[in-house]
Amino acid sequence: MLSGFVIGYAYDDRWNQMSMWGFVKRRLIRLHPMVIFGSLFGAALFYFGDCSSFPLIGNTPWYKTALIMLWAFTMIPIPKSMDIRGWSETNPLNGPAWSLQWEYLANFLYAVLFRHFSRKTLTACVAVFGIMTLVLCLNVDVFGFLAARDYAAYTVVGGWSLTPDQLQIGLTRLLYPFFCGLLLSHTGRLIKVKGGFWWCSAIHAGRVLPPA
């Protein structure tokens, strides 16, 4: 939801002075450095690691690891046939990158389509995608994809591979909160807090500091 709100709040009023490439460039500058760093770091830990949880490490030559790393730089999901970790993730060198891949998709769809939606259309989308989320949480197998999901039934866990069930879960996890955030940004009812940056910084610092 925060992602949808930030995108709407930051870019909705810029399109009269910003091109599509300008939007893409801004998002790449904001997001892609951590994609590259995460893949580099993950490749190093993978290749020089020795963990029984990842039995494919010992059978993966260095050049294949390098190829997967370069592929991961593009944020294009890696097919199961190229999985070198054995967990069927779309980025075996940086597992959590699957959520950022959905984020990239949401950003692209926003620039091409979603930004043109009226508040009424956004509200209708939130209602439809809310039903999709409810269906997933209740484990109602509408499309026949969730039959083998006993490990995470009645949750929203999933979305990190290219199998039909994981694509359904990932798309559901993306659409409802992202559209909620967009709709919230379109309402224009913002609460202004004096010194908000410093208050938020203090709260964040308090959360990450170790207990005494």
Side-chain angles (χ1 to χ4, degrees), residues 149-166:
R149 197 168 170 261
D150 294 339
Y151 70 95
Y154 307 107
T155 73
V156 294
V157 172
W160 49 73
S161 72
L162 297 178
T163 58
D165 62 317
Q166 294 293 305

Side-chain angles (χ1 to χ4, degrees), residues 22-41:
F23 172 79
V24 171
K25 184 169 62 176
R26 284 175 170 84
R27 298 313 294 160
L28 287 175
I29 291 172
R30 179 64 61 88
L31 298 174
H32 219 70
M34 62 180 172
V35 171
I36 294 175
F37 175 79
S39 297
L40 280 168
F41 195 64

Side-chain angles (χ1 to χ4, degrees), residues 166-181:
Q166 294 293 305
L167 289 173
Q168 178 186 341
I169 297 164
L171 196 61
T172 302
R173 292 182 66 170
L174 166 71
L175 291 174
Y176 176 66
F178 189 82
F179 270 81
C180 278

Side-chain angles (χ1 to χ4, degrees), residues 18 61 67 105 110 133 143 156 158 172 191:
M18 179 179 64
L67 175 63
L105 177 62
Y110 162 78
T133 304
F143 303 106
V156 294
T172 302
I191 299 174

Side-chain angles (χ1 to χ4, degrees), residues 40-59:
L40 280 168
F41 195 64
L45 290 179
F46 176 86
Y47 189 73
F48 295 106
D50 183 14
C51 178
S52 59
S53 298
F54 311 132
L56 297 180
I57 290 179
N59 300 321

Side-chain angles (χ1 to χ4, degrees), residues 78-79 83 85-96 98 160-161:
I78 294 172
D83 178 20
R85 189 157 74 154
W87 285 11
S88 300
E89 297 161 300
T90 54
N91 186 338
L93 298 179
N94 184 13
W98 67 269
W160 49 73
S161 72

